[in-house]
Amino acid sequence: MDRTSDWETVFQSRSWGQWPSLDLVRFLAGYVYAESPCALELGPGGGANLWPLALRDFTIAGVDIAPSALAQVRTKLDNAVPGWTEYPGGLVDGSVTDLPFSAS
């Protein structure tokens, strides 16, 4: 079942996912970061989990089927985290069933 158009409709009609999950907040509060931490989120929506990671200097990547969701992520990151860094491949308009990342 292809839900691409359903999610695109949601993200075109409103901002979605403004706040990070409580589990992520707890993780970030107690985590001792590696030298160059990175994170991949599958289905980042409006970026609620990616922006606090970027604020803590994680190199981030995300894959979402809704281009409007990725536009919200970029806007949020540009406004909240000037100079944020994308993992090679970055924010990808695509499906988690066909990831554009290598295993290395």
Side-chain angles (χ1 to χ4, degrees):
M1 174 166 61
D2 183 13
R3 302 289 306 241
T4 303
S5 62
D6 293 341
W7 282 111
E8 184 61 13
T9 299
V10 167
F11 287 106
Q12 283 180 346
S13 66
R14 62 185 165 146
S15 184
W16 184 275
Q18 296 303 305
W19 303 107
S21 68
L22 186 54
D23 289 332
L24 178 63
V25 171
R26 288 181 180 139
F27 168 77
L28 291 172
Y31 183 67
V32 178
Y33 306 126
E35 190 172 311
S36 299
C38 60
L40 166 64
E41 185 170 17
L42 305 176
N49 291 324
L50 287 179
W51 70 265
L53 290 164
L55 276 171
R56 284 154 186 86
D57 295 323
F58 276 67
T59 300
I60 59 169
V63 178
D64 204 298
I65 59 174
S68 293
L70 295 174
Q72 287 181 26
V73 174
R74 281 190 183 90
T75 298
K76 180 177 290 211
L77 290 169
D78 289 342
N79 291 333
V81 192
W84 63 279
T85 306
E86 290 183 87
Y87 185 79
L91 300 175
V92 178
D93 175 13
S95 172
V96 299
T97 61
D98 186 25
L99 296 176
F101 306 104
S102 69
S104 58

